[in-house]
Amino acid sequence: MSILSLQEDRPTPKCVYNYRVYSCAAVAAFCAVMIGYDSAFIGGSIALDSFKTEFNWAQYSAEESDLISENIVSSYQAGAFFGAFFAYAAGHYLGRKKGLQVFSAIFILGAGLMLGANGQRGLGILYAGRALAGVGVGGASNLTPIYISELAPPAIRGRLVGLYEMGWQIGGVVGFWINYGVSTTMAPSREQWLIPFAIQLIPAGLMFIGLFFIRESPRWLMSRGQRTKALKNLCWIRKLDTNDVYMLEEVSAIDAALEHQSSTVGLGFWQPFKALANDRKVSYRFFLGCSLFFWQNTSGINAINYYSPTVFKSIGITGTNTSLFTTGIFGIVKALVTIVWLFFLIDNLGRRNLLMFGAFGGALCLYYVGAYIKIADPSHHPTANITSGGISAMAFFYLWTIFYTPSWNGTPWVYNSEMFPQNVRTLGQAFAAASNWLFNFLVARFTAQMFTAMGYGVYFFFASLMLCSIVFVFFLLPETKGVPLESMDRLFSKDLKPRHAHKIVMIELREDEEQFRHNVEGSGIGLEKEEMGEKAAHLEETV
């Protein structure tokens, strides 16, 4: 099997891998462009002299300045934390598509509020706008991976959900270079720092408009009793008719999963909470989902994203423009490596291997950077030009980027989008996304103070946690590549060790598929099933 080959759970018609499923995924993934752009531009924008002059930064002490910077950055994460939970209700009642439209509109409103900030009004309207925009991206960060995973054929699910990560990196590259552009080509003015804030509206507007042209998730429609519309959407997405054996298998699996969930836990709004409390396999997956984002955020990525000028200054890079240029290169490296991850790694090497290899290599790189800062102490022994030791530290920093990006940057989002059963998927993703934004908030809130208090120790701290994550993945995380959503429960059986579960389940799936096709041949089975009733969706709330 070559690195470009796909691991299919069953024979799959080539037309299933079509432009429609990629287009739907790409439109939904625009929310990640919004997130990536913010993580890239905000630290550089509030470091501009024009921003500091606008809001009279000179009146603050160093400690007050750190605190205000952290508040501006972290108010966004605080809003996103709550937005992730609001998305559970939106995803359950409105669906994936309409829910995304609502949250993209909320983001647009928040971004518009930020543009009203100035020295006379103070920072209050900026805080409010960032918190509201955070609610928008928090909700979208919950629904987008779910929507894409529910559309995706198993063999390319990692790649399609990975478009979310690709969008994040595209937004990051634009954000980094917009900051560099306004810093080097514009005189200090209100427009200089306001333009980066205004550009947020572009990806949000494109996403809002694009959502009118994509289809709702067939799996969500099936769970709400809208079977006819679900089959129509699924046939359109797969480019197959209802009598194709691939469609028969997929719909039969969805039916079986929904019937099982309806007869056990139920499909109502409150039923996932009962499953979380009573079903060990479900609660274990909630634990895994939240833990993955803990390990992701304690790798140091968001400390670097939000406070890149501070990070590069600690290595010995001086000057705002030089720091922004170096940060822009960092963004390009991440984007290029993400392309490799998207098309060559995630659906071939799998989730477990990527996470473990990335953590090991990344930890070694951070240990080197921390050791250089400890020995050379560039903050107390500055030089006109970066030293050869500083250049080597920068090389290891970029090498850390190459290890981290195709492993911990996007893989936790892929994993969380696929491991939950249909009836708890939105709630599970809500908890996972909220945990991401909680840990993101904590990192954004305290990073500036950590660099002041710990210096080189910050790099040792993050490196040590990356090594700890390897143990977590090896013993607790089963591989999920190529496994259909409706078969994920098998991976988490208490009878299977996580590191061996994938191999066993894939063998079982191939045996089941052969038996299914044998039974279907000549049987005349089709997808015509008595309509469950469009109004039944309202009755399930009482289950």
Side-chain angles (χ1 to χ4, degrees):
M1 180 181 292
S2 74
I3 197 171
L4 291 175
S5 61
L6 299 174
Q7 182 168 2
E8 297 177 337
D9 62 306
R10 60 190 186 276
T12 304
K14 296 303 179 186
C15 64
V16 168
Y17 308 125
N18 63 72
Y19 75 93
R20 291 174 180 171
V21 70
Y22 279 96
S23 297
C24 290
V27 170
F30 252 90
C31 85
V33 180
M34 293 141 55
I35 301 171
Y37 180 80
D38 179 86
S39 69
F41 97 89
I42 188 62
S45 291
I46 64 179
L48 291 171
D49 290 338
S50 56
F51 182 88
K52 293 180 177 180
T53 300
E54 178 85 36
F55 295 100
N56 194 17
W57 221 253
Q59 66 181 306
Y60 303 121
S61 65
E63 292 77 12
E64 290 172 330
S65 175
D66 284 347
L67 180 62
I68 293 172
S69 296
E70 290 168 342
N71 287 340
I72 292 172
V73 173
S74 61
S75 57
Y76 186 83
Q77 284 75 34
F81 173 81
F82 292 102
F85 283 114
F86 295 154
Y88 171 60
H92 182 83
Y93 289 111
L94 300 178
R96 315 323 191 193
K97 175 182 171 179
K98 290 182 180 178
L100 285 170
Q101 287 176 313
V102 168
F103 286 111
S104 61
I106 291 173
F107 180 90
I108 291 171
L109 179 60
L113 275 178
M114 293 183 220
L115 302 183
N118 59 32
Q120 291 180 328
R121 297 189 182 98
L123 292 168
I125 192 171
L126 185 61
Y127 290 141
R130 284 189 59 75
L132 194 59
V135 171
V137 299
S141 71
N142 178 335
L143 295 179
T144 290
I146 293 175
Y147 174 77
I148 298 174
S149 72
E150 290 180 349
L151 297 181
I156 60 168
R157 188 172 58 238
R159 180 182 301 176
L160 289 176
V161 179
L163 289 174
Y164 177 83
E165 179 59 30
M166 188 70 247
W168 199 309
Q169 299 311 321
I170 291 172
V173 169
V174 173
F176 287 136
W177 288 102
I178 286 293
N179 271 345
Y180 181 73
V182 299
S183 175
T184 56
T185 64
M186 296 182 66
S189 62
R190 184 169 187 269
E191 288 72 22
Q192 185 191 39
W193 66 264
L194 199 63
I195 286 173
F197 280 87
I199 289 175
Q200 296 179 97
L201 291 167
I202 297 174
L206 290 173
M207 178 182 175
F208 183 78
I209 295 170
L211 286 166
F212 286 98
F213 298 96
I214 65 176
R215 300 292 180 97
E216 180 57 87
S217 162
R219 283 176 168 82
W220 179 80
L221 291 169
M222 293 275 278
S223 71
R224 301 294 289 175
Q226 300 180 44
R227 184 179 179 82
T228 300
K229 187 174 182 181
L231 294 179
K232 181 180 178 181
N233 283 7
L234 188 60
C235 288
W236 181 84
I237 292 166
R238 297 285 184 260
K239 297 187 76 172
L240 295 171
D241 62 46
T242 57
N243 294 320
D244 189 276
V245 67
Y246 185 90
M247 290 289 294
L248 292 173
E249 286 180 285
E250 183 166 11
V251 175
S252 295
I254 296 172
D255 281 336
L258 289 174
E259 288 170 8
H260 173 73
Q261 292 158 15
S262 180
S263 63
T264 53
V265 177
L267 300 176
F269 182 83
W270 297 108
Q271 306 313 313
F273 292 95
K274 296 178 182 179
L276 175 59
N278 301 322
D279 189 331
R280 188 200 68 85
K281 288 197 293 185
V282 170
S283 57
Y284 180 67
R285 278 177 269 188
F286 273 69
F287 161 73
L288 290 180
C290 295
S291 298
L292 281 171
F293 284 115
F294 168 78
W295 296 116
Q296 183 203 60
N297 281 276
T298 53
S299 67
I301 182 60
N302 286 310
I304 295 166
N305 277 341
Y306 292 119
Y307 296 99
S308 51
T310 301
V311 172
F312 291 120
K313 182 179 178 181
S314 73
I315 297 175
I317 303 294
T318 58
T320 301
N321 289 348
T322 304
S323 179
L324 289 175
F325 179 82
T326 310
T327 304
I329 298 297
F330 166 64
I332 290 176
V333 172
K334 285 204 302 176
L336 292 176
V337 177
T338 298
I339 294 174
V340 177
W341 169 79
L342 190 67
F343 291 105
F344 301 103
L345 300 180
I346 185 64
D347 282 320
N348 295 282
L349 292 185
R351 291 46 158 164
R352 276 172 54 90
N353 289 335
L354 284 174
L355 292 173
M356 289 189 289
F357 293 152
F360 181 75
L364 295 182
C365 295
L366 288 184
Y367 277 128
Y368 182 91
V369 174
Y372 163 75
I373 295 173
K374 166 64 176 173
I375 296 169
D377 197 10
S379 62
H380 292 96
H381 301 92
T383 57
N385 298 304
I386 187 170
T387 64
S388 58
I391 293 173
S392 71
M394 283 300 304
F396 271 86
F397 173 79
Y398 286 127
L399 186 59
W400 171 85
T401 305
I402 293 171
F403 276 113
Y404 170 83
T405 302
S407 55
W408 284 94
N409 213 33
T411 306
W413 291 102
V414 173
Y415 201 92
N416 273 285
S417 72
E418 61 192 4
M419 69 172 171
F420 295 106
Q422 176 71 35
N423 63 323
V424 301
R425 188 169 296 130
T426 310
L427 183 64
Q429 183 68 14
F431 271 81
S435 68
N436 169 68
W437 292 111
L438 173 62
F439 298 131
N440 203 312
F441 167 81
L442 293 174
V443 170
R445 180 64 180 78
F446 296 109
T447 290
Q449 296 174 56
M450 286 177 67
F451 273 104
T452 300
M454 298 172 63
Y456 70 90
V458 174
Y459 297 96
F460 288 169
F461 173 75
F462 289 135
S464 299
L465 286 171
M466 290 191 83
L467 288 181
C468 292
S469 71
I470 298 174
V471 179
F472 170 86
V473 172
F474 182 80
F475 287 106
L476 300 179
L477 215 65
E479 180 57 64
T480 57
K481 69 170 182 176
V483 178
L485 294 181
E486 285 70 36
S487 299
M488 285 291 168
D489 260 5
R490 301 189 191 187
L491 290 174
F492 297 91
S493 170
K494 63 180 180 181
D495 299 324
L496 298 179
K497 291 184 178 180
R499 60 184 182 274
H500 302 312
H502 181 264
K503 182 178 180 180
I504 295 171
V505 169
M506 290 303 292
I507 292 173
E508 293 175 350
L509 287 174
R510 291 190 183 99
E511 292 173 350
D512 292 347
E513 187 272 334
E514 290 175 4
Q515 184 63 44
F516 181 89
R517 289 183 177 243
H518 175 74
N519 294 337
V520 166
E521 288 177 2
S523 66
I525 295 176
L527 294 180
E528 291 77 11
K529 179 177 178 180
E530 184 176 352
E531 185 68 41
M532 293 170 66
E534 303 293 332
K535 296 182 180 179
H538 301 290
L539 298 178
E540 58 90 2
E541 299 301 326
T542 63
V543 175

